[in-house]
């Protein structure tokens, strides 16, 4: 089956075409087309993601991404036709809240024939609701026009699948597995006893780890998104042997649970900067703070994940979400698990699938389609900004 997947939960507009041969999770996958537009440059000016701006950019970029993915998949066939006025008004009505998208979609549909797609997968949460809705309404419009079913996808489930996907297949996982999901909006430890079951055993009590990276970066005068910027400074500090000007805390390192807290760590960086005076902060100070911040985060993430592995006798660890692109976190997980728990297999996403993408949404859509529930009725699809893992939102 051929799956068209759509991701618009945050600041990436992504569309893919993935062919699945076989049933989930034993299928062989071929990525036929993959298009992604990152809005980072647009949001950078404002130092973060603004939901309404993200929404507008998604509406502008979805059709070009659809066209690019289909072209790459060799599924774009020129075919001039005129939509009936009934069809036009149905589509315009579905996209009434997404300015400009109705017109560009209709002009696309009048230029190109119906592609051979069996299923549309779309992210319905978690994420920024105005942004999610653009993808959902777009999926509904395409599904109506092409008469193809739609499945709602949980974005975080996508991240889990991203981490274990080797480009063609999904591995035979040894259960129980522990997933550590670290992104701009999430920090959680999830126990998976088998495919498709997700039990959250720990989470952040305040900031998500990616959010902390972004906020600390901002304090250090670095551009958005701050994660990769902090990573660069920290690596430079490590290579040059530069230490932190003040020791930062390791929050909740020994707490008797699987929870996290990063807002105190962020505040500790602010105090360190204020104590010295922001204008007197040397480059060395900034390097040292970036390094200690990254090491604090890594130490806490590792300690809590190891504790969860021991407590639940896990045989597999899956690290996913945008922050798992961080080199220091990646290397630390691999080397510490190899040393202390060599029987545990650690999965990390390939770097290009660490941050948001639509290939992971196609995989999760395939899982959803092969689960007990039938594809959704179009009218019940709904965005849910706070959607929990293991759930797909429907009205
Ligand atoms: O999963 P993602 O792309 O979007 C969400 O679903 O939130 O994650 C984005 C987050 C941002 O906070 C970004 O700063 C962080 O991932 N990030 C990183 C790195 N690359 C992205 N954090 C640390 N090191 C990185 N190399
Ligand atoms: Zn994400």
């Amino acid at each position: 089956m051929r799956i068209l997947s759509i991701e618009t939960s945050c600041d990436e507009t992504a569309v893919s075409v993935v062919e699945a041969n076989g049933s989930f999770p034993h299928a062989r996958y071929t990525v036929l087309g993959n298009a992604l537009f990152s809005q980072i440059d647009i949001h950078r000016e404002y130092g973060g993601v603004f939901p309404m701006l993200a929404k507008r950019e998604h509406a502008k970029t979805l059709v070009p991404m659809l066209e690019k993915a289909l072209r790459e998949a060799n599924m774009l066939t020129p075919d001039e036709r005129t939509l009936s006025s009934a069809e036009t008004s149905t589509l315009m009505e579905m996209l009434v809240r997404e300015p400009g998208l109705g017109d560009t979609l209709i002009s696309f549909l009048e230029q190109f024939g119906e592609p051979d797609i069996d299923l549309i997968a779309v992210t319905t949460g978690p994420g920024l609701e105005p942004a999610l809705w653009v993808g959902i309404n777009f999926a509904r419009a395409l599904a109506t026009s092409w008469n193809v079913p739609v499945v709602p996808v949980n974005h975080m489930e996508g991240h889990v699948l991203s981490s274990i996907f080797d480009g063609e297949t999904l591995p035979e996982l040894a259960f129980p597995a522990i997933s550590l999901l670290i992104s701009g909006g999430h920090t959680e430890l999830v126990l998976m006893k088998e495919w498709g079951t997700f039990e959250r055993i720990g989470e952040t009590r305040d900031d998500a780890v990616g959010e902390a990276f972004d906020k600390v970066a901002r304090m250090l005068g670095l551009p958005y998104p701050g994660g990769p910027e902090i990573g660069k400074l920290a690596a430079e500090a490590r290579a040059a042997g530069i230490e932190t000007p003040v020791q930062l805390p390791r929050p909740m390192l020994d707490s008797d649970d699987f929870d996290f807290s990063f807002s105190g760590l962020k505040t500790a960086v602010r105090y360190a900067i204020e104590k010295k005076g922001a204008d007197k902060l040397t480059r060395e100070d900034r390097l040292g703070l970036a390094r200690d911040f990254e090491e604090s985060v890594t130490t806490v993430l590792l300690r809590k994940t190891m504790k969860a592995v021991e407590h639940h006798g896990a045989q597999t660890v899956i690290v996913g979400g945008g922050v798992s692109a961080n080199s220091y976190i990646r290397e630390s997980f691999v080397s510490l698990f190899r040393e202390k728990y060599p029987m545990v297999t650690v999965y990390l996403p390939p770097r290009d699938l660490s941050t948001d993408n639509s290939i992971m949404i196609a995989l999760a859509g395939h899982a959803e389609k092969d689960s007990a529930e039938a594809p959704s009725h179009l009218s019940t699809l709904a965005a849910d900004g706070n959607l929990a893992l293991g759930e797909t939102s429907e009205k």
Side-chain angles (χ1 to χ4, degrees):
M1 77 172 336
R2 286 175 171 184
I3 306 166
L4 181 90
S5 55
I6 300 163
E7 156 66 36
T8 64
S9 69
C10 188
D11 58 351
E12 258 86 33
T13 315
V15 179
S16 306
V17 184
V18 176
E19 185 166 66
N21 282 301
S23 55
F24 184 90
H26 306 291
R28 181 160 288 276
Y29 297 95
T30 314
V31 178
L32 300 175
N34 183 37
L36 182 144
F37 175 77
S38 170
Q39 304 174 2
I40 280 175
D41 289 338
I42 296 157
H43 295 289
R44 185 172 288 138
E45 239 179 276
Y46 306 94
V49 181
F50 274 84
M52 294 319 279
L53 185 57
K55 170 190 158 88
R56 205 182 66 197
E57 289 302 315
H58 287 310
K60 221 190 312 181
T61 320
L62 268 171
V63 171
M65 290 301 109
L66 172 70
E67 191 173 330
K68 182 161 183 259
L70 288 174
R71 177 168 288 125
E72 209 175 289
N74 260 329
M75 291 167 79
L76 203 62
T77 38
D79 176 20
E80 252 176 64
R81 62 181 178 130
T82 310
L83 299 191
S84 71
S85 63
E87 227 177 321
T88 304
S89 62
T90 306
L91 296 178
M92 288 307 277
E93 208 171 294
M94 279 181 165
L95 295 171
V96 69
R97 285 162 184 263
E98 325 302 342
L101 185 54
D103 291 326
T104 38
L105 178 61
I106 286 164
S107 118
F108 173 87
L109 294 171
E110 291 190 326
Q111 278 178 72
F112 300 105
E114 201 176 306
D116 185 10
I117 294 288
D118 304 292
L119 183 72
I120 296 174
V122 63
T123 307
T124 55
L128 308 170
E129 285 191 6
L132 289 162
W133 273 115
V134 190
I136 293 171
N137 287 331
F138 186 60
R140 291 173 63 212
L142 282 178
T144 304
S145 180
W146 294 340
N147 197 20
V148 176
V150 178
V151 282
V153 165
N154 183 305
H155 180 84
M156 298 315 283
E157 195 172 327
H159 275 302
V160 173
L161 289 163
S162 236
S163 301
I164 60 175
F165 185 50
D166 71 1
E168 277 185 3
T169 55
L170 297 166
E172 202 63 59
L173 290 185
F175 291 102
I178 294 288
S179 257
L180 171 70
L181 297 173
I182 41 179
S183 69
H186 287 81
T187 301
E188 49 195 40
L189 274 165
V190 177
L191 172 66
M192 294 165 64
K193 290 189 176 147
E194 58 183 340
W195 263 122
T197 69
F198 303 95
E199 184 190 334
R200 189 165 63 201
I201 56 170
E203 64 185 318
T204 182
R205 296 189 180 171
D206 37 60
D207 290 1
V209 59
E211 189 183 349
F213 264 98
D214 295 336
K215 288 178 177 166
V216 165
R218 204 166 164 177
M219 292 178 209
L220 294 174
L222 302 165
Y224 175 85
E229 302 291 329
I230 298 248
K232 276 185 237 160
L233 289 199
E236 196 182 327
R238 227 168 273 121
I242 295 169
E243 304 280 347
T244 177
V246 288
Q247 183 70 44
L248 298 172
R250 269 55 181 158
M252 295 184 73
L253 188 62
D254 295 310
S255 70
D256 196 20
D257 51 35
F258 302 111
D259 287 346
F260 305 94
S261 163
F262 295 106
S263 108
L265 176 60
K266 173 191 71 187
T267 310
V269 175
R270 174 173 305 127
Y271 285 157
I273 296 171
E274 281 170 5
K275 196 166 162 220
K276 177 104 191 212
D279 49 337
K280 293 200 188 70
L281 211 64
T282 63
R283 179 161 165 77
E284 276 211 357
D285 292 336
R286 292 163 63 233
L287 291 178
L289 282 172
R291 174 184 178 178
D292 201 38
F293 170 78
E294 187 180 69
E295 292 182 359
S296 168
V297 167
T298 308
T299 303
V300 178
L301 293 175
L302 255 169
R303 172 80 64 91
K304 288 286 165 95
T305 308
M306 284 181 168
K307 190 171 153 184
V309 162
E310 265 179 27
H311 190 266
H312 292 282
Q315 303 189 55
T316 301
V317 166
I318 302 165
V319 186
V323 182
S324 64
N326 181 279
S327 301
Y328 187 72
I329 294 177
R330 295 173 77 92
E331 286 156 20
S332 305
F333 267 80
V334 170
S335 63
L336 255 109
F337 270 92
R338 191 181 293 142
E339 187 188 310
K340 294 204 169 153
Y341 304 93
M343 302 301 286
V344 174
T345 311
V346 177
Y347 290 95
L348 287 152
R351 237 170 256 270
D352 56 336
L353 295 189
S354 296
T355 45
D356 291 348
N357 64 85
S358 49
I359 293 174
M360 70 185 197
I361 303 309
L363 298 173
H366 193 224
E368 187 63 25
K369 185 239 149 225
D370 279 355
S371 72
E373 297 145 47
S376 296
H377 192 267
L378 288 186
S379 62
T380 62
L381 287 171
D384 181 349
N386 298 312
L387 190 64
L389 248 178
E391 291 177 1
T392 48
S393 63
E394 291 193 44
K395 276 194 283 204

